[in-house]
Amino acid sequence: MKPILYSLLTILSLQSCDKVVDETPPVLPPTIPQATTEVFKLSYPNVSSFVFKPLEQDKTWQTDFVTPAGKVFSLVDYQGEIIDLNELVGTPKSLPIAIKQHFLNNYPSSQIVMFYDVMKSPTVTDGYKLVIQTDKNTNLNLYYDVNNNFVREEIQPNEKVSAIVFTSTDQINFDASIPTVIKQFLSNNQLKSASVIIYNLADKSYKIVLNFREKLNGALQTSEILLSDAGQILQWVSSIENEYSYKILPKTNLPTEINTYLATNLPNWQFDYGVSETIFGNNKTNFVTVKIGQNDSYLIVDEEIKKNDLILVRTQALAENYLPETVKTALTNSFNNWTFVKANVIYEPYRQSLSQIVTNVNHFQIEVKQGTDRYAVRLASDGNILYKYRIL
């Protein structure tokens, strides 16, 4: 349910929300740039409460808010970009200390991906399942009993799907294509109203994913059930909310991989800011922004589990004469007699393993003046305006 990484560029493709749960007024420190709030408004137009908490003065903030799909936790920066975004799903519950210590002692170079309750019934926990990723990019399932004792390790199996069905607990009995063993499981356990995704697996078993419509503390509740073709429960797990947080990453603590890349590829770089994302208290991803001269800056993303393959995003300041004609036309259609103030182009992310720097445009961020008024405009790569607002 939770992607490994949301870059600052993926937020624009997220679907908007229908209703907000938390209707309290937004808490906005005065230094939050308008561009940041405008991007959130664009992506979540019906969410009225975005709570920003300063992380590094005038550089970065973390924000959280509630949507019908659960809680969202993110990192934003002073340029109005959303650097990281996590949709929190599952029951808020702490990772038991004994399980965390076992993981740290026995898998020191691995990262936690997901944490589950192993269920005996809708309300009874039978143990825990920890999904981890090793430094060789192998996913392992670690199982523990109800007393937090380690039980076994297994390589996460590859699931081959032959068919997928989307339905709900309210409609499932009216669908003749749904196997009887699945209907019987839902009936026997009297599960609450939920959307249902059914995967017919190649080995003739079934995987059922339930997204319950009732939320606990703002988080969407989910369960996954693996049934045999005879209706035997092979596994039943319920998601536990991942514990995300951010902390400042000083220049002196930059990972070796980033320092090596900067020294080799970006001479004369200047440190701008650094932030580490942690999950269940362990460093997961580092975000570092550096400046090169007056015009260029780079966001460097270092996933701890993939230390030899950095992700980079280049931002470049543009003079007026370098603006594409499609951008100039869009500005002229929106503002009479506009005058240029400043502009930046943000390119698509690329990996350091590529042989050359990627120069495919993701979007433009431009400021113009119309008379005495000043406006900020964000445009897509094709010149279409995504949003605009008057700078206060």
Side-chain angles (χ1 to χ4, degrees):
M1 296 296 293
K2 193 272 173 191
I4 294 177
L5 173 67
Y6 275 91
S7 81
L8 78 166
L9 305 176
T10 58
I11 181 66
L12 298 179
S13 66
L14 295 177
Q15 294 181 346
S16 60
C17 305
D18 298 321
K19 184 182 178 184
V20 65
V21 177
D22 182 0
E23 298 287 356
T24 58
V27 178
L28 302 175
T31 49
I32 289 289
Q34 274 184 281
T36 299
T37 58
E38 292 299 328
V39 174
F40 276 114
K41 289 177 183 177
L42 176 71
S43 304
Y44 300 94
N46 297 315
V47 175
S48 62
S49 180
F50 298 115
V51 181
F52 291 85
K53 301 173 183 177
L55 189 64
E56 184 174 0
Q57 185 64 36
D58 297 330
K59 291 289 186 179
T60 55
W61 297 262
Q62 61 187 39
T63 182
D64 56 85
F65 53 93
V66 180
T67 77
K71 290 185 287 188
V72 176
F73 183 73
S74 67
L75 172 71
V76 301
D77 79 356
Y78 68 97
Q79 299 178 94
E81 301 295 347
I82 299 172
I83 304 303
D84 190 44
L85 185 144
N86 299 289
E87 294 181 343
L88 305 185
V89 176
T91 304
K93 187 175 182 179
S94 296
L95 178 65
I97 294 175
I99 293 179
K100 183 176 180 179
Q101 196 59 53
H102 175 269
F103 162 75
L104 292 174
N105 291 342
N106 293 276
Y107 304 90
S109 59
S110 299
Q111 296 291 323
I112 298 173
V113 177
M114 288 292 292
F115 178 39
Y116 298 91
D117 275 327
V118 178
M119 307 303 295
K120 184 180 292 186
S121 73
T123 58
V124 178
T125 298
D126 196 32
Y128 302 97
K129 173 183 174 181
L130 203 60
V131 180
I132 68 171
Q133 187 178 40
T134 70
D135 55 359
K136 297 180 180 178
N137 291 333
T138 300
N139 278 8
L140 300 178
N141 296 332
L142 309 181
Y143 292 91
Y144 300 83
D145 64 21
V146 288
N147 296 315
N148 306 328
N149 297 309
F150 178 70
V151 176
R152 73 181 189 278
E153 166 200 304
E154 69 176 19
I155 297 177
Q156 193 173 65
N158 291 322
E159 296 177 340
K160 295 183 179 180
V161 179
S162 59
I164 303 176
V165 178
F166 297 88
T167 182
S168 68
T169 49
D170 303 324
Q171 296 296 320
I172 199 165
N173 288 323
F174 303 101
D175 190 337
S177 67
I178 305 296
T180 301
V181 293
I182 295 177
K183 294 179 180 179
Q184 193 64 52
F185 168 81
L186 295 175
S187 175
N188 289 347
N189 289 281
Q190 299 181 338
L191 298 175
K192 296 178 290 187
S193 180
S195 64
V196 181
I197 306 173
I198 300 168
Y199 298 87
N200 294 346
L201 303 182
D203 64 0
K204 301 188 182 304
S205 63
Y206 303 102
K207 181 180 178 180
I208 309 168
V209 178
L210 303 174
N211 294 314
F212 295 102
R213 293 168 185 164
E214 294 184 16
K215 295 196 289 290
L216 179 64
N217 295 333
L220 183 71
Q221 305 304 295
T222 69
S223 286
E224 296 179 14
I225 300 97
L226 194 64
L227 290 181
S228 71
D229 58 349
Q232 178 187 5
I233 300 175
L234 304 176
Q235 184 170 277
W236 182 353
V237 297
S238 181
S239 297
I240 293 175
E241 213 178 73
N242 287 350
E243 299 172 0
Y244 287 99
S245 63
Y246 299 107
K247 62 182 181 181
I248 295 173
L249 177 65
K251 179 181 178 180
T252 52
N253 292 353
L254 291 186
T256 301
E257 290 73 21
I258 293 180
N259 268 319
T260 300
Y261 180 84
L262 291 171
T264 305
N265 298 279
L266 300 174
N268 303 317
W269 59 273
Q270 293 180 300
F271 182 77
D272 190 5
Y273 67 79
V275 176
S276 289
E277 178 193 64
T278 66
I279 178 170
F280 295 111
N282 299 315
N283 284 359
K284 178 176 178 288
T285 306
N286 297 308
F287 304 93
V288 177
T289 294
V290 299
K291 294 182 177 181
I292 313 296
Q294 297 296 314
N295 295 326
D296 285 356
S297 64
Y298 287 81
L299 169 67
I300 303 174
V301 182
D302 168 33
E303 292 185 71
E304 287 289 307
I305 207 66
K306 299 177 181 177
K307 291 188 175 183
N308 296 318
D309 199 7
L310 304 176
I311 298 172
L312 298 100
V313 180
R314 181 188 179 199
T315 301
Q316 187 177 38
L318 292 182
E320 182 177 0
N321 59 315
Y322 282 98
L323 294 179
E325 289 302 320
T326 53
V327 170
K328 293 179 181 178
T329 299
L331 293 174
T332 299
N333 291 338
S334 296
F335 304 97
N336 294 324
N337 301 317
W338 61 273
T339 57
F340 178 83
V341 178
K342 63 180 181 179
N344 284 287
V345 56
I346 292 82
Y347 297 102
E348 293 283 356
Y350 65 96
R351 292 188 179 275
Q352 71 171 94
S353 55
L354 296 178
S355 59
Q356 61 183 14
I357 294 176
V358 172
T359 55
N360 297 324
V361 174
N362 182 270
H363 65 274
F364 297 91
Q365 187 71 37
I366 300 175
E367 289 187 17
V368 299
K369 287 186 72 175
Q370 184 180 42
T372 58
D373 291 330
R374 191 164 170 168
Y375 293 88
V377 189
R378 180 170 293 211
L379 304 97
S381 58
D382 59 4
N384 288 324
I385 292 179
L386 299 172
Y387 69 78
K388 58 184 177 181
Y389 63 90
R390 185 167 65 91
I391 299 175
L392 302 177

